[in-house]
Amino acid sequence: MTSEPKITLFDFPSPVCKPKAWNPNTWKARLVLNYKQIPYKTVWLSYLDVEQTLIKAGGEGKATSTREDDPSKPLYTLPALLDESGPQPVVVIDSLKIAEYLDEKFPERPVIPKKGRAFEYMFEQFFVATVGALIPFPILPFAHDIMDEKSKPYFKRTREARLGKKMEDFSPEGPVRDAQWKDLEKGFDKLAAVLDKNGPDVDFVAGGPEPTRADFIVASYLIWIRSVAPEEWKKRGVDQWANGRWARLLKRTEEWQAVDE
Ligand SMILES: N[C@@H](CCC(=O)N[C@@H](CS)C(=O)NCC(=O)O)C(=O)O
């Protein structure tokens, strides 16, 4: 008889996507758990239930950011992890903190290696500046459409406030959307140009045979885009971008993309 896993990952479900995990931030944690072969279960939450669930689990005071509409209030975000293996439950919020916690607790198959650690930390900022910043306008409307019904009005309102536009105007079909996707391709090309410095046939950012968290960051955003906007993914030929580098990364990380649904 196998016992219930002691580790829980909190994630956002999609009633439409297969698998139902779609969010890039939570994928960053899921890929790490899967890669490290740590038994865990998923608890699926609506955006509206994140705060009360994490507080109830023992995460009060651990929010890592503040609400945009009221910076005096904490903003509880996913991914979050609950570890009930010890005498006291431990709640960890934030994908980087989760990776650090898991590497500490399960040192095998580290995702933030001891060597080149500074570069590993720098990579996320480079990724956000080069690629991440170009994603919200073309992708958020698709993300909105595939998420659970209860989350939709909250997501729409908060993302419209963040980006200063009605969601209908984020990515109107035609020249505006076409230009956004071209820019996104160029951003990914800039990333590919840097990764090419590792030499031909090297798929992973740190240059070794095993992935690190940096690869899981890139893979998480690719999984996000492909799962919420599959038609656009095909139409824009993302599989062919950067000589197939991104399609290759998705293939190479496929074994860690399992979702317990
Ligand atoms: N730096 C955090 C970012 C997490 C994050 O922003 N999560 C979003 C997912 S879209 C969230 O949970 N937002 C809650 C909300 O908007 O209320 C991480 O890497 O975990």
Side-chain angles (χ1 to χ4, degrees):
M1 204 177 80
T2 49
S3 57
E4 174 94 330
K6 298 278 189 252
I7 289 185
T8 301
L9 174 68
F10 295 98
D11 198 351
F12 299 111
S14 163
V16 180
C17 297
K18 285 205 175 4
K20 65 183 179 191
W22 61 271
N23 186 279
N25 288 306
T26 57
W27 264 110
K28 290 179 206 164
R30 185 180 294 284
L31 287 168
V32 170
L33 283 158
N34 288 346
Y35 173 71
K36 290 173 80 68
Q37 298 168 347
I38 298 167
Y40 69 98
K41 64 176 187 293
T42 304
V43 168
W44 302 97
L45 296 180
S46 151
Y47 274 80
L48 300 187
D49 297 330
V50 170
E51 177 168 330
Q52 61 174 58
T53 306
L54 296 187
I55 289 177
K56 194 163 163 232
E60 182 147 29
K62 291 191 176 175
T64 51
S65 50
T66 54
R67 279 171 50 165
E68 280 156 291
D69 57 347
D70 183 353
S72 70
K73 294 210 177 93
L75 177 71
Y76 287 83
T77 53
L78 298 189
L81 184 125
L82 170 64
D83 179 2
E84 295 173 288
S85 63
Q88 295 292 333
V90 179
V91 174
V92 188
I93 303 175
D94 187 80
S95 63
L96 175 59
K97 287 198 172 139
I98 291 171
E100 290 171 333
Y101 177 82
L102 293 173
D103 263 1
E104 178 80 28
K105 194 163 165 134
F106 303 92
E108 256 179 60
R109 295 166 74 78
V111 294
I112 311 177
K114 293 269 179 286
K115 198 161 166 262
R117 219 169 159 75
F119 282 113
E120 192 68 38
Y121 277 87
M122 271 187 258
F123 180 81
E124 189 157 19
Q125 289 170 36
F126 174 73
F127 179 84
V128 169
T130 316
V131 176
L134 300 167
I135 300 181
F137 278 122
I139 299 301
L140 289 185
F142 289 100
H144 168 268
D145 289 351
I146 59 81
M147 69 181 58
D148 65 289
E149 289 303 321
K150 195 170 140 186
S151 296
K152 282 183 181 177
Y154 167 82
F155 188 84
K156 187 166 191 289
R157 177 166 48 80
T158 51
R159 273 47 181 180
E160 286 180 343
R162 184 182 296 174
L163 299 185
K165 268 188 188 169
K166 297 301 281 177
M167 196 168 267
E168 296 72 33
D169 300 328
F170 280 10
S171 188
E173 255 189 286
V176 171
R177 188 181 297 186
D178 293 347
Q180 289 170 340
W181 280 89
K182 263 280 151 244
D183 287 346
L184 187 56
E185 181 177 1
K186 279 192 215 145
F188 268 110
D189 280 350
K190 271 192 210 158
L191 175 62
V194 172
L195 299 184
D196 281 346
K197 303 287 179 203
N198 274 338
D201 307 323
V202 180
D203 289 333
F204 294 138
V205 177
E210 291 293 327
T212 64
R213 182 170 181 267
D215 301 292
F216 295 145
I217 290 170
V218 183
S220 293
Y221 284 90
L222 291 168
I223 292 170
W224 179 32
I225 298 169
R226 192 178 57 177
S227 59
V228 306
E231 293 307 321
E232 290 287 328
W233 178 280
K234 269 192 235 135
K235 182 173 169 188
R236 312 293 169 178
V238 185
D239 279 338
Q240 284 77 48
W241 288 4
N243 297 319
R245 180 186 270 282
W246 314 121
R248 220 160 43 240
L249 180 64
L250 284 172
K251 198 91 210 125
R252 285 210 64 182
T253 54
E254 205 166 55
E255 61 178 302
W256 307 302
Q257 292 175 27
V259 179
D260 55 318
E261 302 200 70

